[in-house]
Amino acid sequence: MNRKLLVLPALLGVMTPLLTGCGGSGGGSGGGKAIVVGTTDSIELTKDSPAPLDPATSYDSATWNVFYNTFQMLLTYQRGSTTPSPDAAKDCHYTDVSVLTYQCTMREDQKFSNGDALTAQDVKFSIDRMQKINWAAGPASLISGVKSVDAPDDKTVVFHLKAPDATFPAKLATPAAAIVDSKVYAPDKPYTGFRLVGSGPYTMDSFVQAKQGEFSKNSHYGGTLKVNNSAIELKLFADSHKMEAALRAGTIDVMARTLSPDQIGTLLGSTDPNVKLTESPGGEARFLFLNTDSPALKDVVVRRAIAQVIDRQAITRDVYKRTADPLYSVIPQGITTHTNSFYNIYKDPSVPTAKAELRSAGITDKVSVTINFRRDNGGTMNQAEAQEIARQLNASGLFDVTAKSEQWNTFLKKASDRDYEIFALSWLPDFPDPDNYIAPFFDKDNFLNLAYNNKTIQDQLLPATRKQAERGATTTDFTKAQNLIATDVPMLPLWQGKQYIAARSNITGVEWALNSSTTTQFWELGRGQSG
């Protein structure tokens, strides 16, 4: 997902952000005028996306930014914690030694923003609905391990799993398990338009495509999160430099996604006392996917040759200006079980090695392929990155690569329809666990519908890791999975990013505002004194 990562429970450990400029931390006032948050994320209503604000259909960072703030889940992450804790629920636990049954007891007097009572039946309805709609490129794959859900009374919900899954509580803390009002949402159809009804910290009062969304504190919210402001205005920008200008002028208070590499460099070196930049380690990973059913890429030797030629150091240096680090595995550094599987196999880029392997397989002509990249939005560098990859491959003399743009709002659908030979995707984890870097792409029913299927990963390694409550005990199996992916090359890891958020110096809570999915947690933001 451009969602699918970290100031809080980021990389299976608490991160300490780096602050530049001035400004305080901690809680601010819960009242006052709306805090204006700028973003270059795009949420579009189209024929292919008729219900962009329905949790059953949308699985990207832009929409999940809205969902985390407006919908409630049974579980959530408290500040500084890597363990999900109750929110709409007051208690959740496995009920049997086989860890196939997970039960939650609902918190008292939970309500949706419209005043409707929220009960266990709404939780069951929401999970059943997610699975029934099963939207292409949607998040239903996250809860595909649920066999059935029972709601024996208003306060009790019981999940019956198909197989043991130690990551299930973390999945319940994502918008894939967002609780929707069964009196408002149809059980088998998306809730179309820019509409939503949730029970989270905020109510969405209005949303205008390409302009703004207005959110106010939900007076019916009965969960555990402390809300430090009364209202948020989400301002949408098509140009990250215009967003920065608005921040410096004081017409917005915060700018989150996405800052371009040159802006990050400028802000890091800025002496402006009115603006502060928060930097933290990140788990965002950028992957290049190769369609293993494509005639040009069906032979693994061709895919390995691409892996042998790609120069990640050049990409992170020349395109991203060192605001990202080269990545050599599907699981990023800092996440438990990471190993440099691609570097261990392919070492440094080598055109002679790639050429020798292609020739030994009888491939003497240039391999013609197309890289489709998502149209740049704001501060993204998709075009420059795709052109650099094409340049590297073409310069080898072994490939004839064309880079071609795709519309932002149709990219994921076409990717999941296997319309592309090669495409890149930034992945922001749904929860901070190695499973969430492997399963969304390589498990059965993966959300991208990839042509590549590895039965060892699907039938042995992932099931084995999900039986382990102690995640460090999964190292052997996840190492095997990473090595299999590096050997078969259905994808190439490119880079791992840091997280950045900039704000006016009187805005508090900024260092806690980004969660592990780079979602801006509106409730953390408050107003304090200028630095």
Side-chain angles (χ1 to χ4, degrees):
M1 131 179 116
N2 192 18
R3 281 160 23 324
K4 59 200 250 43
L5 318 167
L6 299 148
V7 173
L8 288 178
L11 305 177
L12 295 187
V14 179
M15 297 297 182
T16 302
L18 170 68
L19 297 179
T20 65
C22 68
S25 62
S29 170
K33 65 178 182 178
I35 293 175
V36 185
V37 178
T39 179
T40 61
D41 281 337
S42 176
I43 301 175
E44 299 178 0
L45 181 67
T46 67
K47 180 180 179 180
D48 290 330
S49 180
L53 295 180
D54 187 333
T57 66
S58 295
Y59 191 17
D60 59 59
S61 61
T63 54
W64 278 36
N65 193 56
V66 173
F67 296 162
Y68 271 112
N69 287 290
T70 55
F71 286 98
Q72 202 174 15
M73 281 69 80
L74 290 169
L75 302 174
T76 189
Y77 288 100
Q78 297 295 329
R79 180 190 290 185
S81 175
T82 62
T83 303
S85 60
D87 191 31
K90 68 178 181 181
D91 173 75
C92 291
H93 59 277
Y94 288 100
T95 64
D96 58 346
V97 294
S98 65
V99 292
L100 288 171
T101 306
Y102 193 76
Q103 179 173 307
C104 293
T105 303
M106 303 299 295
R107 197 175 296 278
E108 298 291 332
D109 300 322
Q110 296 295 290
K111 293 182 179 180
F112 291 100
S113 59
N114 61 5
D116 288 348
L118 188 161
T119 69
Q121 284 80 14
D122 290 296
V123 178
K124 170 179 167 53
F125 172 86
S126 301
I127 300 297
D128 289 346
R129 177 178 183 269
M130 178 70 72
Q131 292 186 324
K132 186 175 294 184
I133 292 176
N134 195 26
W135 194 262
S141 59
L142 273 174
I143 56 168
S144 62
V146 176
K147 182 179 180 181
S148 63
V149 187
D150 294 330
D153 56 57
D154 286 351
K155 299 300 180 186
T156 308
V157 57
V158 183
F159 299 90
H160 303 283
L161 306 183
K162 297 174 184 176
D165 186 0
T167 70
F168 185 65
K171 293 171 181 175
L172 286 183
T174 74
I179 305 169
V180 302
D181 189 344
S182 58
K183 294 180 181 178
V184 175
Y185 288 75
D188 55 358
K189 295 187 298 184
Y191 192 48
T192 57
F194 288 121
R195 302 183 296 165
L196 64 82
V197 176
S199 59
Y202 293 88
T203 297
M204 189 181 78
D205 301 317
S206 67
F207 193 93
V208 180
Q209 181 167 305
K211 290 187 177 181
Q212 66 185 32
E214 295 183 346
F215 304 84
S216 58
K217 185 176 179 179
N218 179 10
S219 61
H220 292 297
Y221 175 63
T224 59
L225 300 171
K226 178 185 176 183
V227 181
N228 290 306
N229 58 72
S230 60
I232 294 287
E233 181 182 335
L234 187 66
K235 195 80 171 177
L236 307 178
F237 290 84
D239 185 330
S240 62
H241 290 87
K242 290 182 178 179
M243 179 171 64
E244 181 186 350
L247 180 71
R248 293 188 182 279
T251 55
I252 67 172
D253 299 298
V254 179
M255 68 174 184
R257 291 177 52 86
T258 300
L259 284 69
S260 66
D262 64 304
Q263 287 179 288
I264 293 168
T266 298
L267 287 165
L268 282 172
S270 175
T271 57
D272 185 346
N274 297 311
V275 174
K276 62 182 178 182
L277 181 73
T278 300
E279 172 191 316
S280 64
E284 176 181 2
R286 182 77 167 173
F287 302 131
L288 192 70
F289 290 91
L290 285 67
N291 186 347
T292 57
D293 270 0
S294 167
L297 300 169
K298 209 173 188 67
D299 192 330
V300 69
V301 174
V302 175
R303 304 196 300 272
R304 289 175 181 167
I306 293 174
Q308 189 68 71
V309 170
I310 293 291
D311 186 345
R312 297 165 178 81
Q313 296 281 354
I315 293 170
T316 56
R317 180 192 67 232
D318 299 337
V319 177
Y320 292 97
K321 312 300 181 186
R322 295 186 171 89
T323 58
D325 298 315
L327 181 60
Y328 295 92
S329 181
V330 62
I331 298 175
Q333 295 185 59
I335 293 286
T336 301
T337 76
H338 164 82
T339 184
N340 287 319
S341 52
F342 274 81
Y343 188 82
N344 294 340
I345 293 175
Y346 302 101
K347 308 300 181 186
D348 291 325
S350 172
V351 171
T353 300
K355 182 176 181 179
E357 292 179 354
L358 287 170
R359 298 300 181 257
S360 67
I363 300 172
T364 56
D365 294 333
K366 289 184 179 180
V367 179
S368 297
V369 291
T370 298
I371 295 178
N372 286 87
F373 61 90
R374 202 172 190 178
R375 183 192 67 204
D376 279 315
N377 196 48
T380 60
M381 304 298 292
N382 299 332
Q383 180 173 349
E385 176 192 79
Q387 290 174 340
E388 171 61 17
I389 291 170
R391 186 198 66 77
Q392 290 182 13
L393 294 174
N394 289 338
S396 72
L398 304 174
F399 298 93
D400 181 10
V401 182
T402 301
K404 183 178 179 182
S405 67
E406 185 58 80
Q407 292 298 306
W408 182 266
N409 58 334
T410 62
F411 184 85
L412 274 182
K413 184 179 186 300
K414 289 190 175 182
S416 64
D417 288 342
R418 302 180 187 173
D419 287 349
Y420 305 144
E421 290 180 299
I422 303 177
F423 67 94
L425 184 73
S426 292
W427 180 246
L428 301 135
D430 309 306
F431 52 92
D433 188 277
D435 183 279
N436 197 236
Y437 289 93
I438 301 274
F441 311 117
F442 303 115
D443 201 359
K444 300 170 184 174
D445 303 318
N446 66 82
F447 90 101
L448 280 178
N449 187 35
L450 297 179
Y452 176 78
N453 281 287
N454 189 298
K455 296 300 181 183
T456 300
I457 293 175
Q458 294 174 354
D459 299 337
Q460 298 178 31
L461 300 178
L462 284 174
T465 62
R466 289 169 179 166
K467 293 178 182 178
Q468 299 289 342
E470 172 49 56
R471 302 310 283 161
T474 64
T475 297
T476 298
D477 287 327
F478 275 125
T479 297
K480 289 179 181 177
Q482 291 170 84
N483 289 339
L484 285 170
I485 293 164
T487 299
D488 293 346
V489 202
M491 59 86 77
L492 284 115
L494 294 175
W495 52 260
Q496 176 176 347
K498 301 179 179 71
Q499 287 199 139
Y500 299 92
I501 182 170
R504 301 289 294 181
S505 60
N506 67 324
I507 300 300
T508 62
V510 177
E511 65 269 40
W512 303 110
L514 292 182
N515 74 0
S516 64
S517 297
T518 65
T519 293
T520 306
Q521 300 178 144
F522 294 162
W523 61 86
E524 293 284 2
L525 300 172
R527 288 192 187 276
Q529 298 298 316
S530 296

